[in-house]
Amino acid sequence: MKKTITLLTLLCTFLSMAQIRGKVVTSAGQPLPYASVLIENTYNGTSTNDNGFYEISVKDQGTYTLIYQCLGFKTKKITVNVNRLPYIVEDVTLADENFILNEVVINNKENPANAIIRSAIASRKKNMAKSDKFEADFYSRGIFRVKDMPKKILGQEIGDMNGSIDSTGTGIIYLSETVSKIAFEKPNNLREEIIASKVSGNDKGFSYNTARGTHYDFYENYVNFGINMVSPIANNAFNYYKYTLESTFFDNYNHLINKIKITPKRDKEPVFEGYIYIVEDTWAIYAVDLDIKGYRMQEPVMETMKLTQNFTYNTGTGIWAKNIQTMDFTAGIFGIKFTGKFTHVFNNYVFRDSFEKKTFRNEIVTIQKEANKKDNTYWDAFRPVPLTDEEVTDYHKKDSIQTLRTSRVYLDSIDAKKNKFSLSDILFGYTHRNSFKKQIFSYDGVIDPTSVNFNTVQGWNLNSGFSFRTWDDEKGSATTISSKLNYGFAENRLRVVGNIYHRFNSINNASLNISGGSSIQQFNAAQPISNILNSVTTLFFKNNFAKFYNKEFISIFYGQEVVNGITLNGKLEYSARKPLFNNTDYVIFKRDKPYTSNNPLLPEDNTIAALEKHNLVKAGIATRIRFGQKYISRPDRKVNIPNEKYPTLSLAYEKAFAGSSDNYNYDLVSGAIDYNTRLGNKGDLGIRFKAGKFFNADNISFVDYKHFNGNQTHIGTSDRYLNVFNLLPYYSNSTNDAYLETHIEHDFKGYIMNKIPLLNKLQWNLVVGFHQINVPNAKPYQEFTAGFDNIGWGKFRMFRVDYVRSYQNGFQTDGVVFGLKILNIIE
């Protein structure tokens, strides 16, 4: 009985939302893609697909007036008597628009396009306010294609990507759809409930095409595409654009529409080019048809993106509302070409004067549990833009491939091929997979060039290890058991560390980590100098900056998000620390000076250790608070989204006790504040404050001091320098008392530079910064920096150069720091 009721309910739902279907063509009979089709005086509309086909949902039979419009073509209105559902409309032909440009007198003071744009700017806030609060139905479809995908990249086989790529390296690598209901209040309050989600080739997946990423509002001064692009009707738009009135025409409501060409004044700025259509008298946006160059939004892999928006007018509300938005892009790197398209349809608007107080919460998107279980019958009834033949084929093909490739027989056969063992695997490593049970066992081998390093304590040293991982996608749980083996040849010593990690779920990310063993550690646990960089500076310049001690330990860590935005974790560790000394003086170049000792306090003395052998137990508790954190609720996970309006606060308390001597015991209270904000189109400002206070710590081990992240290599490895001092000797300001650490950095993101002739062709970003350390009984250490980021050529911009001056009780030194971000990726 329940099944019968369910089937009847489902059938009634489909009948109540059946379609009017048809095709739109040009005068030459060619399909007209992405034309808007809507029911007159409603916000119920759709778009044609690449082949000109459309479907528009209606609840009942009856008489409907359909409006067809597309940029560059005359709007057409037809009336249909729908006496059956679905109802097929004969092909609708749209004729080319007869553009009009009345003869005007253009004087030296103003041209007509400028006058229109000035009126649009003056009416910007009024028009924006008309649609600043609404509810709507939302549909999104995204597709990515690839061409010339190689068989291997950097030696790693690509495969056919689950059937996406054919033998020529071409195919659809992503296709997905979303149906949802949204409530929105400008500037950024969103509530979205995803009712249906479909991903080609993954019946357990959820589409990432949410309404959250579709808010491109040209009534705002800036439109966010990774960086803030200047709107053609921004308050300061005349500083960035030139305008030409190309033509005018009348829509079906007899509104005069002005077609205005937008031309950037300077090529390298964050600007658009193309056309904006403005309604005469109300100065509202009728449509936008804009191109975005990848280099203008500082995304060099992106070549071009074309953004179109079509707005619908309703005589009842008098509001122009966006109903269709499309984004086409081309991208490429390493000879691989990518193309893609997103189609967004907004339907059934309900405009509000206000929302109830609890309408908008930190949960901005929620996905219904069965959203990815909707069958083809549902999608055929509710999909507003018909699939193309290519998309239909992709769904069918990948559904069949998924059925095959998730079967145990197939997975076992693939694993059997990949799991074959050869003698060379003893040297180079081996991986054994059980894909059906979701288990992987790995052995790292003993000849891995990326694991080979050099330091003056161990000499040449290398790593190997074993690991076992298993996971459950539905529960979001994962377990990893691993070991790391490190052998130093000059020391003739093997160190082994074991680790057990378990993540309980992907909702609050509760995780437990237990580790122990013997390891070699830098005195600064943050390891400010990487193994690769230390190896280079040591071997080639005889600058052995990294200083080490031996640590034998066992620790347990547990952490989770306790409530939205608040993460809490605790750690308990027992460790035995021992001093280490240099065991080699090997060097490749520059043999005319001795190595410094392994004692950061006495670099010229190779006989005195930096610490005495001792034991200690440390317990700590820490929290991170992200104020106003937004999040997306998926059935399988929670996706956190930091709120850029507010800072992130971190607090920690650490207690050291049970030391082999009482003087090793101490208490430490510390905290940090991180804040990042975007200042219009003038760049990104980052601020970090870190502070702490030791108690009862007069004679603690140097290991437990607060060490600051210095840099004596003149090489930077991070994207931003908000946690490092560029010329600070590594242990010169270490303290066991109170400290305050300040980092401020502003990246202009091209502002200023993109206005300077010739220099703007470099596409470099000016970056300025200030860094300071305050500790008792010493003058503040300060650094002032100025430099350029986004340095490189073509699509490869991984370099940065900064000039730095440091002061402490007067001028200390200056120098140039070369940023090599790729080292951070490799490490």
Side-chain angles (χ1 to χ4, degrees):
M1 184 63 181
K2 287 183 179 180
K3 290 183 178 180
T4 302
I5 294 173
T6 301
L7 289 172
L8 287 173
T9 302
L10 191 62
L11 179 60
C12 290
T13 300
F14 292 153
L15 288 175
S16 66
M17 292 297 291
Q19 293 98 1
I20 299 172
R21 300 173 179 172
K23 184 178 182 180
V24 182
V25 297
T26 67
S27 299
Q30 297 299 313
L32 190 56
Y34 304 104
S36 295
V37 184
L38 59 140
I39 299 173
E40 187 177 34
N41 284 327
T42 73
Y43 292 108
N44 183 8
T46 186
S47 168
T48 58
N49 65 13
D50 285 340
N51 300 324
F53 291 103
Y54 66 91
E55 295 177 357
I56 188 167
S57 297
V58 294
K59 293 183 178 181
D60 304 301
Q61 298 179 15
T63 301
Y64 294 93
T65 299
L66 302 179
I67 297 174
Y68 299 81
Q69 61 186 44
C70 185
L71 296 179
F73 295 85
K74 285 185 178 180
T75 299
K76 189 169 187 176
K77 183 190 300 186
I78 67 170
T79 300
V80 295
N81 183 21
V82 178
N83 52 18
R84 61 190 180 280
L85 291 170
Y87 182 86
I88 308 301
V89 179
E90 292 184 3
D91 289 1
V92 174
T93 301
L94 296 188
D96 292 344
E97 181 65 72
N98 290 330
F99 293 113
I100 306 168
L101 187 55
N102 293 328
E103 185 176 346
V104 295
V105 176
I106 300 177
N107 57 37
N108 293 329
K109 294 181 179 179
E110 188 76 290
N111 74 51
N114 287 359
I116 294 167
I117 292 297
R118 291 188 195 282
S119 296
I121 293 172
S123 303
R124 186 175 60 84
K125 290 185 178 180
K126 178 183 68 176
N127 284 319
M128 182 166 54
K130 290 181 179 180
S131 59
D132 64 349
K133 303 178 185 69
F134 65 82
E135 294 174 308
D137 295 335
F138 173 75
Y139 169 79
S140 174
R141 178 149 83 234
I143 185 169
F144 291 82
R145 302 178 183 87
V146 66
K147 185 178 181 181
D148 298 328
M149 177 69 78
K151 301 294 184 183
K152 292 183 179 181
I153 295 180
L154 300 178
Q156 298 295 315
E157 288 192 7
I158 301 300
D160 67 358
M161 299 183 71
N162 293 322
S164 298
I165 302 175
D166 61 23
S167 59
T168 66
T170 301
I172 296 175
I173 58 175
Y174 179 76
L175 171 63
S176 71
E177 298 176 271
T178 298
V179 173
S180 62
K181 290 185 175 295
I182 62 174
F184 185 77
E185 181 180 44
K186 294 180 182 180
N188 53 18
N189 280 334
L190 173 68
R191 186 195 69 206
E192 179 177 11
E193 182 182 15
I194 294 179
I195 299 167
S197 179
K198 186 177 180 69
V199 180
S200 182
N202 184 1
D203 61 7
K204 294 182 181 180
F206 294 96
S207 169
Y208 286 93
N209 305 344
T210 73
R212 173 176 170 263
T214 65
H215 183 58
Y216 302 112
D217 188 350
F218 289 88
Y219 287 121
E220 299 281 357
N221 282 321
Y222 304 104
V223 186
N224 186 359
F225 283 90
I227 66 171
N228 280 341
M229 310 283 288
V230 180
S231 168
I233 58 171
N235 287 339
N236 60 346
F238 281 97
N239 294 332
Y240 295 89
Y241 297 105
K242 295 182 290 185
Y243 303 94
T244 304
L245 177 59
E246 284 211 343
S247 58
T248 62
F249 61 92
F250 290 93
D251 73 352
N252 59 296
Y253 295 106
N254 208 34
H255 295 123
L256 178 64
I257 311 299
N258 300 286
K259 180 183 179 182
I260 298 176
K261 184 177 181 180
I262 301 163
T263 306
K265 285 187 173 181
R266 291 168 292 274
D267 178 55
K268 305 302 181 182
E269 293 190 303
V271 288
F272 303 92
E273 63 179 295
Y275 296 90
I276 187 168
Y277 297 74
I278 300 295
V279 182
E280 188 78 12
D281 295 330
T282 64
W283 315 113
I285 297 175
Y286 173 83
V288 297
D289 184 5
L290 299 172
D291 291 334
I292 311 166
K293 305 297 185 184
Y295 60 83
R296 288 178 179 162
M297 56 181 174
Q298 299 201 356
E299 294 289 347
V301 174
M302 181 76 70
E303 294 172 357
T304 60
M305 178 183 291
K306 185 178 185 64
L307 173 68
T308 63
Q309 294 179 341
N310 292 296
F311 289 73
T312 299
Y313 182 74
N314 185 298
T315 57
T317 64
I319 296 174
W320 291 89
K322 179 175 64 179
N323 69 310
I324 303 294
Q325 177 174 276
T326 63
M327 299 168 63
D328 287 272
F329 68 86
T330 59
I333 192 169
F334 299 124
I336 308 168
K337 297 293 183 181
F338 298 91
T339 61
K341 188 180 193 73
F342 281 97
T343 303
H344 307 128
V345 179
F346 298 83
N347 263 326
N348 301 318
Y349 280 99
V350 177
F351 293 100
R352 302 285 190 187
D353 293 327
S354 64
F355 283 104
E356 295 180 3
K357 288 185 178 180
K358 295 185 178 180
T359 299
F360 301 104
R361 303 181 297 273
N362 288 327
E363 182 184 43
I364 58 175
V365 181
T366 180
I367 303 177
Q368 291 183 1
K369 188 174 183 180
E370 301 298 319
N372 61 351
K373 306 301 181 186
K374 301 292 192 296
D375 60 15
N376 289 334
T377 308
Y378 171 90
W379 285 101
D380 289 342
F382 285 93
R383 179 186 288 119
V385 182
L387 296 175
T388 63
D389 291 342
E390 178 191 34
E391 291 164 341
V392 170
T393 300
D394 190 72
Y395 273 131
H396 286 319
K397 181 182 76 171
K398 288 182 181 173
D399 286 347
S400 300
I401 290 174
Q402 182 191 22
T403 301
L404 169 65
R405 295 189 177 183
T406 55
S407 68
R408 183 162 193 168
V409 173
Y410 177 83
L411 293 174
D412 287 349
S413 66
I414 294 298
D415 287 344
K417 181 180 179 181
K418 292 182 177 180
N419 291 341
K420 289 182 179 180
F421 183 82
S422 64
L423 291 177
S424 63
D425 293 333
I426 298 174
L427 297 176
F428 298 104
Y430 173 74
T431 298
H432 184 278
R433 299 173 180 84
N434 188 324
S435 300
F436 186 79
K437 292 185 177 180
K438 294 181 170 55
Q439 297 175 348
I440 294 179
F441 170 80
S442 295
Y443 158 61
D444 295 339
V446 294
I447 302 179
D448 179 3
T450 63
S451 76
V452 177
N453 295 289
F454 182 87
N455 62 65
T456 53
V457 172
Q458 296 178 288
W460 290 103
N461 64 95
L462 54 82
N463 299 320
S464 187
F466 302 87
S467 67
F468 171 79
R469 182 174 184 266
T470 183
W471 66 96
D472 187 323
D473 292 327
E474 302 246 341
K475 295 180 179 178
S477 61
T479 301
T480 301
I481 302 172
S482 62
S483 64
K484 177 183 176 181
L485 289 73
N486 173 265
Y487 183 76
F489 288 90
E491 238 187 344
N492 192 24
R493 179 170 180 175
L494 175 69
R495 293 179 174 87
V496 180
V497 172
N499 190 81
I500 300 173
Y501 169 81
H502 180 71
R503 187 184 66 208
F504 294 90
N505 62 72
S506 296
I507 305 299
N508 65 6
N509 287 308
S511 60
L512 176 70
N513 195 85
I514 302 172
S515 60
S518 178
S519 65
I520 181 170
Q521 298 281 333
Q522 290 188 40
F523 283 88
N524 184 346
Q527 301 194 72
I529 179 168
S530 68
N531 289 330
I532 294 175
L533 204 50
N534 184 66
S535 299
V536 172
T537 61
T538 302
L539 288 169
F540 290 88
F541 305 101
K542 218 167 187 180
N543 290 323
N544 55 322
F545 293 125
K547 308 300 178 184
F548 302 94
Y549 71 97
N550 191 79
K551 179 180 177 181
E552 295 172 355
F553 71 100
I554 182 169
S555 70
I556 182 170
F557 170 92
Y558 178 83
Q560 70 170 72
E561 186 179 50
V562 290
V563 296
N564 179 55
I566 301 179
T567 300
L568 189 66
N569 61 70
K571 183 176 182 179
L572 181 66
E573 178 186 86
Y574 166 82
S575 62
R577 293 91 166 264
K578 298 178 182 178
L580 295 172
F581 295 89
N582 288 345
N583 290 292
T584 181
D585 60 358
Y586 176 80
V587 70
I588 295 179
F589 297 117
K590 204 168 183 178
R591 303 171 185 269
D592 58 343
K593 70 172 185 178
Y595 280 123
T596 57
S597 74
N598 191 50
N599 184 342
L601 299 174
L602 297 170
E604 306 303 323
D605 194 322
N606 287 287
T607 61
I608 299 178
L611 73 157
E612 295 180 353
K613 177 181 176 182
H614 65 280
N615 307 328
L616 191 66
V617 177
K618 296 169 73 172
I621 186 169
T623 184
R624 184 192 65 199
I625 305 172
R626 285 178 172 171
F627 296 99
Q629 175 179 274
K630 307 293 185 180
Y631 64 94
I632 298 172
S633 292
R634 293 164 50 112
D636 60 340
R637 73 188 63 177
K638 177 173 179 272
V639 181
N640 293 324
I641 304 168
N643 192 327
E644 295 181 355
K645 288 184 178 179
Y646 306 106
T648 297
L649 174 65
S650 301
L651 299 170
Y653 170 68
E654 182 177 85
K655 183 171 184 63
F657 60 97
S660 50
S661 176
D662 288 343
N663 62 281
Y664 293 117
N665 302 335
Y666 66 90
D667 297 89
L668 171 62
V669 178
S670 61
I673 297 175
D674 292 278
Y675 181 64
N676 295 277
T677 189
R678 182 160 292 165
L679 303 178
N681 68 325
K682 298 173 180 61
D684 297 340
L685 174 66
I687 301 172
R688 169 171 287 182
F689 297 109
K690 299 167 71 176
K693 177 69 172 76
F694 286 87
F695 298 91
N696 307 312
D698 291 344
N699 296 301
I700 64 174
S701 169
F702 189 66
V703 171
D704 299 309
Y705 274 49
K706 168 61 182 178
H707 305 293
F708 301 98
N709 295 332
N711 186 4
Q712 294 174 263
T713 67
H714 292 270
I715 300 295
T717 60
S718 57
D719 290 334
R720 303 185 74 182
Y721 297 160
L722 287 172
N723 198 36
V724 65
F725 295 91
N726 296 279
L727 296 180
L728 177 72
Y730 293 101
Y731 298 101
S732 60
N733 283 265
S734 300
T735 183
N736 60 343
D737 199 340
Y739 64 89
L740 173 63
E741 185 176 346
T742 302
H743 300 275
I744 302 173
E745 183 176 275
H746 184 71
D747 185 340
F748 284 90
K749 290 293 182 181
Y751 187 75
I752 297 177
M753 286 292 292
N754 56 30
K755 292 177 170 57
I756 304 173
L758 297 180
L759 289 180
N760 60 7
K761 296 183 181 298
L762 297 173
Q763 300 177 50
W764 293 358
N765 294 339
L766 176 65
V767 185
V768 295
F770 171 74
H771 311 266
Q772 179 168 293
I773 299 171
N774 294 84
V775 297
N777 305 317
K779 294 288 185 179
Y781 175 85
Q782 298 176 327
E783 288 182 352
F784 298 87
T785 69
F788 297 104
D789 198 1
N790 203 44
I791 299 174
W793 55 92
K795 298 179 179 180
F796 301 95
R797 296 187 168 271
M798 299 173 289
F799 305 103
R800 171 175 171 170
V801 176
D802 289 84
Y803 173 70
V804 186
R805 290 180 68 88
S806 65
Y807 297 83
Q808 190 168 28
N809 198 24
F811 172 76
Q812 288 291 305
T813 187
D814 64 350
V816 176
V817 175
F818 297 91
L820 304 175
K821 301 174 193 177
I822 192 171
L823 289 179
N824 189 42
I825 298 172
I826 295 173
E827 190 68 20

